[in-house]
Amino acid sequence: MERIKCAIIGSGNIGTDLMLKLIDHPTLELTLMVGIDPKSEGLALANQLGIETTYEGTKGWTEREHMFKIVFESTSAKAHMANAPLLKELGKIAIDLTPAAVGPYVIPYVNLPDVLNETNVNLVTCGGQATIPIVAAVSKVTKVPYAEIVSTIASKSAGPGTRQNIDEFTVTTARGIVNVGGADQGKAIIILNPAEPPIMMRDTIFCQVENMDQEAILSSIHETVERIQGYVPGYRLKIDPVFYDDRVVVTLEVEGAGMFLPKYSGNLDIMTAAAVEVGDQFAQHLQTTPV
């Protein structure tokens, strides 16, 4: 089938890494890279790869809206809030990598089939992509009255956009723990660790449970980790889950693929990998859905 044309808005680290993941993709054809800085490294690399670019931001992509059907937004929550109505008016599908949360949350392994008829979906946050599947794995087995996640990332991997969106990160991730993870209440904490050499992304998930069926919970967690490794190979349990009283504690590590970003930037890599997985499923859905 013919590949579905797509564009990336945002030529920073996340957008550039996403671009490299989309090159030669079997269902998605990257036709446009959008930025606002004519000296952007991402735009320069896109030009080298033969992808059309513009540094005129919104003006640039609206004038070229005939070139794409799917848009990957990798700018900021504020920028996507402004872009979302325009994208909707133009009939585009928006896959949002910012914490703007204009559309419903999507975690590929957990709920992607449920949102394929939406025109704007939100990838929550890097911490959400790493931890919400584990909360969902536990809530499949038993009721989870409360879940809390602590996401620790290398300070060097947190660019200006990430730092500007920290408040949105905590709010959006907490909501995702409830809305997608299935917990009754959720809380999210992010830590920027300045250690040298930079650390890998680490995530700790605390789940309060009503019925402690250790074997069933462990099986569900391992199945979830294995499935996520299908699109995020560097996603793994750091240690086996710990059970005590009415709580389950899971510790993860996420290593990046090292395409454009350093391998310690697993927090960024998991977002771009999830975006590709979501984009692929939307493309297949478009290819098989009658007009």
Side-chain angles (χ1 to χ4, degrees):
M1 293 185 180
E2 185 177 353
R3 293 190 295 168
I4 302 298
K5 291 178 170 54
C6 61
I8 296 173
I9 301 177
S11 61
N13 286 342
I14 294 178
T16 305
D17 188 73
L18 177 59
M19 173 180 69
L20 295 178
K21 285 183 168 68
L22 289 173
I23 296 297
D24 298 325
H25 193 278
T27 62
L28 295 163
E29 180 186 359
L30 181 60
T31 57
L32 181 66
M33 184 71 160
V34 181
I36 56 174
D37 179 3
K39 297 180 180 179
S40 159
E41 184 178 358
L43 292 181
L45 184 55
N47 283 323
Q48 292 174 22
L49 293 170
I51 299 166
E52 184 164 339
T53 64
T54 174
Y55 57 81
E56 295 182 296
T58 302
K59 179 177 183 292
W61 63 259
T62 52
E63 290 179 349
R64 295 168 174 81
E65 60 93 11
H66 62 282
M67 295 180 60
F68 54 86
K69 176 62 177 177
I70 295 174
V71 169
F72 295 92
E73 176 90 60
S74 59
T75 53
S76 67
K78 182 178 179 181
H80 186 63
M81 293 293 288
N83 288 336
L86 298 176
L87 291 167
K88 183 176 181 179
E89 183 180 342
L90 293 172
K92 307 304 178 183
I93 293 170
I95 299 173
D96 177 20
L97 285 77
T98 81
V102 173
Y105 299 144
V106 59
I107 305 291
Y109 171 59
V110 181
N111 71 329
L112 180 50
D114 299 333
V115 300
L116 290 176
N117 290 316
E118 300 286 345
T119 58
N120 188 315
V121 295
N122 178 256
L123 290 175
V124 195
T125 60
C126 58
Q129 287 295 330
T131 63
I132 290 172
I134 300 299
V135 178
V138 178
S139 66
K140 279 183 185 178
V141 176
T142 179
K143 186 175 178 61
V144 179
Y146 177 78
E148 178 175 315
I149 72 97
V150 180
S151 187
T152 304
I153 64 175
S155 183
K156 278 189 174 180
S157 73
T162 299
R163 293 171 187 272
Q164 290 170 11
N165 290 334
I166 283 178
D167 286 345
E168 289 89 347
F169 175 99
T170 57
V171 172
T172 300
T173 307
R175 288 175 179 164
I177 290 169
V178 174
N179 296 346
V180 183
D184 290 344
Q185 291 183 297
K187 181 178 180 181
I189 299 168
I190 184 171
I191 298 171
L192 307 186
N193 189 321
E196 290 289 348
I199 63 163
M200 297 285 182
M201 181 188 194
R202 297 275 179 86
D203 296 283
T204 304
I205 304 101
F206 303 85
C207 290
Q208 181 188 11
V209 299
E210 284 196 353
N211 299 303
M212 182 60 78
D213 186 337
Q214 293 190 19
E215 185 176 343
I217 292 172
L218 191 61
S219 175
S220 185
I221 289 171
H222 279 294
E223 178 187 356
T224 295
V225 170
E226 184 177 346
R227 292 290 296 274
I228 293 174
Q229 286 173 340
Y231 59 92
V232 190
Y235 183 88
R236 52 183 173 254
L237 290 173
K238 185 63 177 174
I239 58 173
D240 283 336
V242 177
F243 300 88
Y244 58 96
D245 297 331
D246 63 344
R247 281 162 289 176
V248 182
V249 182
V250 181
T251 303
L252 302 166
E253 181 176 79
V254 185
E255 179 179 353
M259 297 184 74
F260 177 73
L261 302 163
K263 289 193 172 184
Y264 62 76
S265 300
N267 52 303
L268 303 181
D269 190 83
I270 196 170
M271 287 294 284
T272 55
V276 173
E277 181 72 9
V278 173
D280 175 64
Q281 293 301 310
F282 265 96
Q284 292 187 49
H285 185 66
L286 288 171
Q287 290 168 338
T288 57
T289 302
V291 177

